Amino acid sequence: GADRSRPYPFYLASPLEDDVHTLGARDQWIAEWKWDGIRAQLIRRGDEVHLWSRGEELITDRFPEITLAARALPAGTVLDGELVPWRDGAVLPFGVLQTRIGRTSLTSRILREAPVALLAFDLLEVDGTDVRERSHGERRLALERVLGTIGAPGVLRLSPLIDAPSWDSLRALRATSRERGVEGVMLKRRDAPYRV
């Protein structure tokens, strides 16, 4: 059988060259912040938990608090998201995460000084079933349900959607990216499957 620890190929974003109005109706698109962290897939299959970075590097042991929290997820769950330095409901500068990645051993002091969260924005597997062909809107609802089952948000959190009903209101919010500590805005078609 297939190696149960393996992630799915990551679906990477591409920059939008055209004006957003060429994309059609705003309500056909889901908008989220583009976090400045480490893109990762969190895999919970059977009794095992694996955390992979986008470079197909296994980083499970670098983030013990994420691994621990993942045990509350139903078996057969794969989350796609961004590992970010996080404290008191807010993202911290990326440099905080870099201090942690550079360490060979993780002390309790490092874990305390460089706390992290996984901001999940997609769900690729549910109950052991690959759901990448389902629409993004469907997967997002399923993601909200799955994360809702594990109680209060701790280190596994739902990446919030941006509430901006028009392209112009979204553009105005995007202009605040820097002060929010994010890299910009991600747009995803509601009806789109997860691609590579």
Side-chain angles (χ1 to χ4, degrees), residues 17-170:
E17 305 297 347
D18 301 318
D19 184 82
V20 286
H21 292 91
T22 62
L23 298 176
R26 167 70 184 90
D27 63 8
Q28 295 303 302
W29 295 81
I30 288 171
E32 297 168 42
W33 296 113
K34 185 175 189 318
W35 304 101
D36 187 14
I38 298 171
R39 178 78 178 273
Q41 275 180 45
L42 180 60
I43 297 171
R44 165 97 160 91
R45 292 186 182 129
D47 292 335
E48 299 172 30
V49 172
H50 304 279
L51 187 64
W52 292 87
S53 73
R54 188 175 84 188
E56 300 264 315
E57 185 189 353
L58 195 56
I59 54 174
T60 319
D61 56 353
R62 309 300 299 156
F63 299 96
E65 64 273 71
I66 302 285
T67 308
L68 185 65
R71 303 216 165 270
L73 292 168
T77 300
V78 177
L79 303 179
D80 185 10
E82 193 89 5
L83 277 168
V84 295
W86 184 269
R87 181 183 284 124
D88 301 331
V91 68
L92 301 170
F94 184 69
V96 173
L97 197 55
Q98 283 174 312
T99 60
R100 179 160 166 176
I101 301 162
R103 298 299 165 107
T104 45
S105 68
L106 291 174
T107 61
S108 56
R109 189 176 68 89
I110 293 284
L111 294 177
R112 202 167 52 245
E113 289 176 0
V116 296
L118 179 72
L119 298 177
F121 45 66
D122 213 333
L123 183 66
L124 310 185
E125 192 174 301
V126 181
D127 296 327
T129 301
D130 175 353
V131 295
R132 291 176 298 163
E133 285 302 313
R134 292 188 197 163
S135 73
H136 184 75
E138 271 185 79
R139 295 196 316 274
R140 173 78 193 193
L141 286 172
L143 173 64
E144 291 173 10
R145 279 199 299 274
V146 166
L147 288 181
T149 63
I150 62 174
V155 295
L156 298 184
R157 310 180 76 91
L158 190 63
S159 181
L161 299 182
I162 300 172
D163 183 21
S166 70
W167 289 123
D168 289 339
S169 58
L170 184 61

